[in-house]
Every structure is written in C-alpha cells, then in structure tokens.
Amino acid sequence: MTVSDKGTKPSRRAFLKGAAAAGGTLAGAGAAHAAGDPVITELQPWMQQLGDGVDVAPYGKPSEYESHVKRRTVEWLTADPVSSINFTPLHELDGIITPNGLCFERHHAGTAHIDPAKHRLMINGLVDTPLVFTMADLLRFPRENHVYFLECAANSGMEWRGAQLNGCQFTHGMIHNVMYTGVKLRHLLEEAGVKTSGKWVMPEGADAAAMTRSIPMEKALDDCLVAWKMNGEALRPEQGYPLRLVVPGWEGNMWVKWLRRIEVGDEPWHHREETSKYTDLLADGTARRFTWEMDAKSVITNPSPQAPILHGKGPTVLTGLAWSGRGTIPRVDVTIDGGKNWHAARMSGPSLDKSMHRFYFEFDWDGGELLLQSRAHDSTGYVQPTKNELRDYRGTNSIYHNNGIQTWYVNKNGEAENVEVS
Amino acid sequence: MTVSDKGTKPSRRAFLKGAAAAGGTLAGAGAAHAAGDPVITELQPWMQQLGDGVDVAPYGKPSEYESHVKRRTVEWLTADPVSSINFTPLHELDGIITPNGLCFERHHAGTAHIDPAKHRLMINGLVDTPLVFTMADLLRFPRENHVYFLECAANSGMEWRGAQLNGCQFTHGMIHNVMYTGVKLRHLLEEAGVKTSGKWVMPEGADAAAMTRSIPMEKALDDCLVAWKMNGEALRPEQGYPLRLVVPGWEGNMWVKWLRRIEVGDEPWHHREETSKYTDLLADGTARRFTWEMDAKSVITNPSPQAPILHGKGPTVLTGLAWSGRGTIPRVDVTIDGGKNWHAARMSGPSLDKSMHRFYFEFDWDGGELLLQSRAHDSTGYVQPTKNELRDYRGTNSIYHNNGIQTWYVNKNGEAENVEVS
C-alpha cells in the first residue's frame, strides 16, 4: 500500500488525463464515467429552458437530488417516538457548520411549538430580585456569537460493547456545530443579583418534559449563553425555539431547550437526568457523576459505511471531524492500516474554541483492504484514547462518554464496515 | 442624549427591576409587557401536551412563528421574474452566518434544477490537455473550507441618487455569508496544464443564461474555489447546485453558478456582463471597467426601517454587519447623532478574511431623534467613505459599487427611515 505523506500531492494528473480528456473517451476509473460519456455532448434541458423564476422560494430548500440527505432515527433506541433521537448525516456534510435542517435533535416529550410572544424566562431562587424576561427584554442585553459543538453524552454509546451501528450517522451523529447568538447567562444572573449562598443553577424547559439539570455557578458565570439564534436565524423548534441554554463543551443534555426558568440554589438538585441518567456506571457498581465535559474525539466521515469508495484505485480523499470540550484541536492523526503507520491529517477551516474541526488526508488507494482510524489531540495536550483504554478504566456498563477511536474496515470493493481492532 | 461608551455597561438593572419583578406587576417599558403580564401564570399548551414525536422532519424547517422571515423581491427591479433578485432579510438575522434558506440570489434565466449525475465541468482553451470532470472526479481533489461574503456589485445601487429603498433588506440585502467547501481552481487548472499564453479564464454557467465573465489568471490561481457545499450541505439550486465558482472578495456576478466550463484564453472576452453591465458609467461618459473588488462597507441592521425600536427609552442594542473584499474588518465606528460623535463598536464573532463581521453598540436611548450611521475600517487601512465622497469621484450614473455610509433616521416613536444627511 502506498501512502502519500502530508504535503505530498498525489498524482491525480495521470489518472485524469487518461480518464477525462475532453472529446475523447472516458475510460471509467470513476463510477460516473460511462465509456464514451454521452453526457458531454448532450444538450441538457436546463441549458435550453428557462428555470423557475416566479417561484424561487422565499425560504429556500435543498435540491430534489439531495432528498437522501436527511436526519435519521433508530426506531428501537427509545421506547416511544415522542422520546426519540434524530441523527445528523455526518457522512453527507463537509466543512464545520451543520446546516440547521440537518442538526441532530433529542426530545423527551416531542417537539414543543412555542409562541414566542407567550414565552418568558424566569430567574428565581437565591437571588436578590426574581426576574421575568420577555423575548424582547433579552434583545436589550449585549449579545455574543460563538460556534460551538453540541454533543449528546450518549453519542457512540452503543459502541462500548463493540462495533454495533453501521455508519457514522448512527455511531457519531448525535452532534452538531452551529453559530449561536445570545446573551451571556452571567448578564442575566447579575441583573437578578445572585446571593452569596447561590452556588448552582437549574435550567428548566417549557416543554411537557420540563427538563432540568444542575450546573455549577462557576460554569454559569463563565461561558454559558441564553441563545435565540443558530446560524444567523431563529432556533429551530426541535432545538428549543425560542430560547435554549448553551453550555459550551459540556454534554448536550445540559443545553436545556425551550428554556423558561433558571433557578439559583445552594446545591445540586439530583434530578432524574443526573442520577438514573447521565451518570456512568462502572464495573464495580459505583457510578461517576457530574461528568459534564466532553473529551476530545474524532471520526472519519468519508470513507465510512454509508459512504463507500466508489471510484476504485488511485487518488482518494479521507475526511472527518474532531472536537474537544476543553478547547481547540491543533492536530489529528490518521491511519489507513489499523495503526501501523500514523500520518498527520491536514486541518482545514477556522480553528475555534469548543467547535468542530475538519480534517483531510489524501492518499493513493492501491485497491487493498484498509483499516481507517483517526486520533484527535486537543489544545490541553489530551490525546483521544482507544476504546479498550477507556474500557480498562470504565468497564462496559456505560452508555455515556465513549470518545474512543473508531475503526472502519474497507474491503477491496471500497465498501466500509464498523469493526473493532484490538 | 446620553450615550454610553464602549465597555461601560448601560444600567439595565434599574429598568428590569421595575419592569419584570416576578410575581409582581410588569409596568410595560417593553412592548411585550402587558400590565400584570398574565402570561407568567398561564399554563401554556406546550407545557401540558406532548409535542411532535413521530413527525420530526428528516429535513427541518423554521418555526411557524418565523414565517415573516423570508427573502423578498422588488417586482419592478427587473423586466421579468425569470431575471430577478431575492434579498436577504438582514434585519432578521444575527451573527455572521447566513442560513442557506435565506441567502440572497440573483438569476438571469430562472433557477436551473440540475441532475448532478448529468453535470460535467470542462476545462478547455489554452491548456495542454482539455479535461472534463464529473462531480465524483472533483471529490478526489484536496478540499478547502472558507467563510466568504458574496455581494452583488449592484447592492445599494439604487442609493446613488439618494435614499430610495426603505429597509436594509433592500438597500443592502444583495449579500450573504456562508462557509464553502470546494477545490481550489488552481488544482484543476494545473491538472489541465495552462499554456504560457493563458492569461485569463472564462467560467460559464450551465443554465439557459450561460453566464460568462472574464477573470485574470492571477486571481484564478490565487484563491478561487470550485465549490459544491455551502454551510456544510450541497449548494442550493438557486446558488448553483451542483457547482459554482467562488471568487473571494470580488463582485457576485463573477461567482458563476451551475458552473460547467472554464475556458483559458489570452485576453478578456468582453462579454455582455462586463461591458453593457458591471461597468461603472462616470459623469464624463467614460466608464470604469474591471472593478471587481468589493470595497469595505457596513450597514446597521437594527434598528432600521424594517426593525424599529419597540421598547421605548433606555438600554438599546444597535447592531450591524461590515465586510471588505480586501481582508478583515478590525474596526467599525458608529454614530447615533449623524456624525457629531463617533464610537468604536464592539466586534463579536470570528474575524475571517473576506467574510462578514458582526458589530454591536449598546446605548441608553433618551427617546429623542437619532441619526444612525456605521463606518467600516478594513485591514488595509481603507475607511468606508460617505456617499457624497463617492459621488465626487464617480457622479451619479453608476449602478454598481456603492459602498457609501448608510443613514437611518429614527423618530421619537422608534420608527426608522432611510435618509441622507449632507
């Protein structure tokens, strides 16, 4: 197997000269290359006829040819569809921004459809002056804009006990990455005046699930946002419209949607979502609690089980995503032979704190079997562990916080499969 | 008029303590504050009933309460709707990312709906080997990700002859800002091998308009991208699906959509869109041509004619956007009194090359009349001029490249209007 190192440009020219010389025959090295490629000389209808004019949508939508690009659910994963999950199709995306229509979402009582004129945010508990804000009130506070990833603590959770789900949409798709606009929670807490005894906050949702979580005051006063926009426009209903909490770098369950109340207290509440759920059961029967920060993690999105190599041997682009709840990702290593040789991936796009990072690795595929893995390094020096390294510490009872290295096996046909290598 | 300087926090506390103490009466300083605010004690339906469960959209859409947030057209602006324009609702957005559904679009023969399997990109003309690429071929080249603004050269063009259109959606909405994924045009040209005599390229569209423009080889080899994704997902049909040219910092008309061909030549072609259109007619009857770069510009998006101040006196957030085709925007000045006093705005969000930048200015509104203006400084030291400074050089025959300072007049009711101050 020949692997080009970073910076060495694989020779595409030899490939393409033979394959795609204009006016000649296209000897099909790529899947789309039919011999003779009649498409070159076909006059397509869109070249001859006027397109939509009057009816360009006031709010646009994707091409009809992209209907396969969608969130998907796994029906057996929750007891009822009103308590369910829709996964981001990571293998269909590129760059670092998740478009709003494709953002992972988890709901516990269905998606609430809230009239913003009838929505209020209350701050109460251990404060000098309990306050209630309308949406209009919030627009009078200084705003900030940040791109943050939101990852469910259960992302990759099925994989604790070995390779299970066949596709990065399902193994790693409980995540999205958008630009939020909102006010720092700190500003609102300062407005109410937190009493000296106030050490924790409890955000609460306005949907029928009334989600609650305990967050230490230090985090609340640091970088949490009360946000109303994602990627420039209003939050989507399934993302908490009109208001959600943003808890940068911490598990998604804490980012309470449909946010209606922030209670200030002197100790954590130990509600359902931080006791029977979102704790990590260890092999000895004890449990880790308050495991809020999302550790550095990465996944190869292409090639992957849902995105096989279709073009045969030769120049191949491998790409993926990496993120850390503790900072940026200065480096990702990639192997195509199951860890015998590691290569520095090429990072592309802005490197932002607690955001997804995009990486690429270009190589010449020799047509043989591959074992693809990626390994993220974050700005604290933390290195993404193997799944077995995690299991040594945490056993296999856990559902949450699996940030182990993912492996895809690629066969000689370019088809990929979720596997584990020991 | 009391104006708080940058860094001085306006006192919201006094306002909100009176206005929104929980359980008490809400003496309506904000528009949403009805006396007594019955909403606080109402149990809304979304708190009591399960929301959508089964039918969370595989491809999501905005809340029903956001239906007013849409692209709009101005019917008299073009002779026929198949040659028309849809403007970005800048006053409804925040941050720097334009969501794909709301991106400005200009089409010259309607929106083409292209089957990507039948789309090809040809490189021909003064090259060693003419080439034809399928979409699959392009995916085998190294990709890059960049956030760039696209601005039509005619943006604000109506304003050359004085204040015309009442709303930043119409005066400044021929712009959007997204993250593109694609391959550098340089890689494709190198693959074909540009002959020594090849000094220009001509991109051509596959729609019925077959848009063409001449671009100097230096720019083509510098930062132009052949892009297929915007904000992570496939280009939208009205943005050139499946392929468009990205010409960072240069006028939008050159960013050829539905890109099917790049011809390499030894001189510019002087086609329609660079002779009768997209040249700047001066007062003496001569015309500036090849005015490709978009100069530094800014606009206040809120308050603005479509987004009046509804909350009365007191803490007020002013916000807007700034951009430059030559680099970043390190500084924006803001005035609320028509230029008597200028204040440094607070920049928020990533500062990226040839991207939009978001600025804010928080002040205490005394309820009097305002004259709002913003003035961008770019990283080359260029300062956004007044409209009259531009007219001194270019007269008023132009349609294109008006980057003059915009003024909004705000009356005592908080209503805003497009005006000019001399």
Side-chain angles (χ1 to χ4, degrees):
Chain A
M1 180 179 301
T2 310
V3 178
S4 63
D5 287 323
K6 189 196 175 195
T8 307
K9 192 185 159 207
S11 169
R12 277 171 204 79
R13 188 147 180 183
F15 154 66
L16 285 163
K17 274 201 169 173
T25 56
L26 290 168
H33 285 251
D37 193 12
V39 169
I40 293 180
T41 51
E42 271 175 18
L43 205 53
Q44 303 296 344
W46 47 80
M47 300 171 181
Q48 304 175 75
Q49 296 157 11
L50 294 173
D52 287 351
V54 186
D55 62 348
V56 169
Y59 194 93
K61 54 186 195 300
S63 162
E64 61 194 284
Y65 297 102
E66 296 293 311
S67 59
H68 57 288
V69 180
K70 58 187 179 188
R71 297 187 289 213
R72 288 172 199 272
T73 194
V74 175
E75 288 178 12
W76 45 262
L77 207 53
T78 55
D80 192 287
V82 292
S83 170
S84 197
I85 301 172
N86 285 279
F87 298 86
T88 298
L90 297 176
H91 61 295
E92 296 283 3
L93 305 180
D94 213 323
I96 64 166
I97 296 292
T98 317
N100 289 346
L102 293 169
C103 283
F104 153 72
E105 65 95 28
R106 168 81 167 107
H107 51 264
H108 295 75
T111 294
H113 293 276
I114 294 182
D115 179 352
K118 295 197 169 178
H119 189 71
R120 299 288 183 274
L121 174 63
M122 176 183 284
I123 298 190
N124 70 340
L126 299 174
V127 294
D128 296 334
T129 312
L131 293 174
V132 175
F133 303 92
T134 64
M135 291 301 295
D137 290 338
L138 296 174
L139 289 171
R140 304 180 72 175
F141 284 83
R143 292 167 223 165
E144 297 194 7
N145 299 287
H146 298 276
V147 177
Y148 291 127
F149 77 85
L150 176 156
E151 184 183 15
C152 179
N155 202 21
S156 319
M158 295 297 297
E159 308 292 300
W160 273 112
R161 297 171 198 185
Q164 304 274 339
L165 296 165
N166 222 11
C168 66
Q169 180 168 18
F170 304 109
T171 58
H172 288 73
M174 290 191 202
I175 191 168
H176 55 69
N177 199 61
V178 303
M179 177 172 283
Y180 294 97
T181 305
V183 55
K184 276 205 159 168
L185 177 54
R186 177 168 58 79
H187 291 316
L188 305 182
L189 290 171
E190 283 171 356
E191 198 74 29
V194 173
K195 291 186 189 293
T196 315
S197 53
K199 299 300 182 194
W200 292 77
V201 300
M202 184 192 72
E204 179 186 70
D207 66 326
M211 170 75 68
T212 50
R213 285 296 299 262
S214 303
I215 299 176
M217 186 61 71
E218 189 182 10
K219 180 71 174 176
L221 295 177
D222 178 15
D223 57 1
C224 289
L225 294 177
V226 172
W228 51 84
K229 289 206 187 284
M230 57 193 292
N231 289 338
E233 65 186 345
L235 293 171
R236 293 295 174 85
E238 67 272 24
Q239 301 297 342
Y241 179 86
L243 212 57
R244 91 174 302 164
L245 192 65
V246 169
V247 191
W250 287 24
E251 60 189 20
N253 183 261
M254 307 177 85
W255 299 44
V256 172
K257 302 195 284 194
W258 309 295
L259 182 69
R260 72 168 169 196
R261 194 166 68 93
I262 304 273
E263 185 175 331
V264 177
D266 57 356
E267 56 181 5
W269 284 259
H270 292 111
H271 283 184
R272 174 180 181 276
E273 301 283 326
E274 51 206 12
T275 50
S276 80
K277 304 289 179 188
Y278 296 94
T279 49
D280 306 315
L281 184 60
L282 301 176
D284 65 3
T286 64
R288 302 200 308 157
R289 65 168 189 173
F290 299 158
T291 49
W292 303 308
E293 271 187 325
M294 300 307 292
D295 292 312
K297 188 166 170 181
S298 67
V299 65
I300 293 169
T301 56
N302 310 77
S304 65
Q306 296 163 289
I309 304 175
L310 296 173
H311 56 58
K313 294 182 190 181
T316 302
V317 174
L318 176 157
T319 187
L321 292 161
W323 60 93
S324 167
R326 295 192 175 84
T328 59
I329 300 287
R331 173 179 159 194
V332 174
D333 305 323
V334 165
T335 179
I336 62 173
D337 56 14
K340 292 195 193 89
N341 299 284
W342 288 93
H343 314 273
R346 178 172 61 83
M347 309 304 294
S348 171
S351 174
L352 304 170
D353 186 49
K354 302 181 180 70
S355 162
M356 279 184 174
H357 291 61
R358 174 63 61 174
F359 65 87
Y360 297 100
F361 177 68
E362 292 91 16
F363 67 102
D364 274 310
W365 184 37
D366 66 1
E369 294 171 312
L370 303 169
L371 282 172
L372 309 179
Q373 298 178 324
S374 62
R375 181 173 65 192
H377 299 242
D378 79 13
S379 49
T380 71
Y382 177 97
V383 180
Q384 185 183 1
T386 66
K387 290 181 185 173
N388 281 335
E389 283 169 342
L390 282 177
R391 290 179 187 124
D392 287 347
Y393 285 94
R394 300 202 215 142
T396 56
N397 292 330
S398 280
I399 298 169
Y400 306 106
H401 296 283
N402 173 9
N403 68 318
I405 290 171
Q406 182 67 37
T407 310
W408 307 127
Y409 162 75
V410 178
N411 70 18
K412 291 178 180 180
N413 297 322
E415 296 154 347
E417 195 180 327
N418 183 4
V419 300
E420 263 207 65
V421 289
S422 51
Chain B
M1 183 181 298
T2 309
V3 178
S4 64
D5 287 323
K6 188 193 175 196
T8 307
K9 193 186 159 206
S11 170
R12 277 171 205 79
R13 190 147 177 182
F15 155 66
L16 285 163
K17 273 201 170 173
T25 56
L26 289 168
H33 285 251
D37 193 12
V39 168
I40 293 180
T41 50
E42 272 176 17
L43 205 54
Q44 302 297 343
W46 48 80
M47 300 170 180
Q48 304 175 75
Q49 297 158 11
L50 293 173
D52 287 350
V54 186
D55 63 346
V56 170
Y59 193 92
K61 53 186 196 300
S63 163
E64 61 192 284
Y65 297 101
E66 296 293 310
S67 59
H68 57 289
V69 180
K70 57 187 179 188
R71 298 187 289 215
R72 290 171 198 271
T73 194
V74 175
E75 288 178 12
W76 46 263
L77 207 54
T78 56
D80 193 285
V82 291
S83 169
S84 198
I85 301 172
N86 285 278
F87 299 85
T88 299
L90 297 176
H91 61 294
E92 296 282 3
L93 304 180
D94 213 323
I96 65 165
I97 295 293
T98 317
N100 290 345
L102 293 170
C103 282
F104 153 72
E105 66 95 27
R106 168 81 168 107
H107 52 264
H108 295 75
T111 294
H113 292 276
I114 295 182
D115 179 351
K118 294 197 168 178
H119 189 73
R120 299 289 184 272
L121 173 64
M122 176 182 286
I123 298 191
N124 70 341
L126 298 175
V127 294
D128 296 335
T129 311
L131 294 173
V132 175
F133 302 92
T134 64
M135 291 301 296
D137 291 339
L138 295 174
L139 289 171
R140 303 179 72 175
F141 284 83
R143 291 167 224 165
E144 297 193 7
N145 299 287
H146 298 276
V147 177
Y148 291 127
F149 76 85
L150 176 157
E151 184 184 15
C152 179
N155 201 21
S156 321
M158 295 297 297
E159 307 293 302
W160 273 111
R161 298 173 197 180
Q164 305 274 339
L165 296 165
N166 222 11
C168 66
Q169 180 167 18
F170 304 110
T171 58
H172 288 74
M174 290 191 200
I175 191 167
H176 55 68
N177 199 61
V178 304
M179 176 172 283
Y180 294 96
T181 305
V183 55
K184 276 204 159 170
L185 176 55
R186 177 168 59 81
H187 291 316
L188 305 182
L189 290 171
E190 284 171 356
E191 198 74 29
V194 174
K195 291 186 189 296
T196 315
S197 53
K199 299 300 182 195
W200 291 77
V201 301
M202 184 191 72
E204 180 186 69
D207 65 327
M211 170 74 68
T212 50
R213 285 296 300 262
S214 303
I215 298 175
M217 187 61 72
E218 188 182 12
K219 180 69 175 177
L221 295 177
D222 177 16
D223 57 2
C224 289
L225 295 177
V226 172
W228 51 84
K229 289 207 188 281
M230 58 193 291
N231 289 339
E233 64 186 345
L235 292 172
R236 293 294 174 84
E238 68 271 24
Q239 301 296 343
Y241 179 85
L243 213 56
R244 90 173 303 165
L245 192 64
V246 169
V247 191
W250 289 22
E251 59 189 20
N253 183 260
M254 307 177 84
W255 299 45
V256 172
K257 302 196 282 193
W258 309 295
L259 182 69
R260 72 168 169 196
R261 195 165 68 92
I262 304 273
E263 186 175 328
V264 177
D266 57 356
E267 55 182 4
W269 283 260
H270 292 112
H271 282 185
R272 173 180 181 277
E273 301 283 326
E274 51 207 12
T275 50
S276 81
K277 304 287 180 189
Y278 297 92
T279 49
D280 306 316
L281 185 59
L282 301 176
D284 66 2
T286 64
R288 301 198 310 157
R289 64 168 190 173
F290 298 159
T291 49
W292 302 308
E293 271 187 326
M294 300 307 292
D295 292 312
K297 189 167 170 180
S298 66
V299 65
I300 293 169
T301 57
N302 309 77
S304 65
Q306 296 163 289
I309 304 176
L310 295 173
H311 55 58
K313 295 182 189 181
T316 302
V317 174
L318 177 157
T319 186
L321 292 160
W323 59 92
S324 167
R326 296 192 173 84
T328 58
I329 300 287
R331 173 179 158 192
V332 174
D333 305 322
V334 165
T335 180
I336 62 173
D337 54 15
K340 293 196 193 91
N341 298 284
W342 289 92
H343 313 272
R346 179 172 61 83
M347 309 304 294
S348 171
S351 175
L352 304 169
D353 186 48
K354 303 181 180 69
S355 162
M356 280 184 174
H357 291 61
R358 173 64 60 174
F359 65 87
Y360 296 100
F361 178 68
E362 293 91 16
F363 67 102
D364 274 309
W365 185 35
D366 64 2
E369 295 173 311
L370 303 169
L371 282 172
L372 308 180
Q373 298 178 324
S374 62
R375 182 172 65 190
H377 300 243
D378 79 12
S379 49
T380 71
Y382 176 96
V383 181
Q384 185 182 0
T386 65
K387 290 181 184 173
N388 282 335
E389 283 169 343
L390 282 176
R391 290 181 187 122
D392 288 345
Y393 284 94
R394 298 202 215 142
T396 56
N397 291 330
S398 281
I399 298 170
Y400 307 105
H401 296 285
N402 173 9
N403 69 317
I405 290 172
Q406 181 68 37
T407 311
W408 307 127
Y409 162 75
V410 178
N411 70 18
K412 291 178 180 179
N413 296 323
E415 296 154 349
E417 195 180 327
N418 183 4
V419 300
E420 263 207 66
V421 288
S422 52

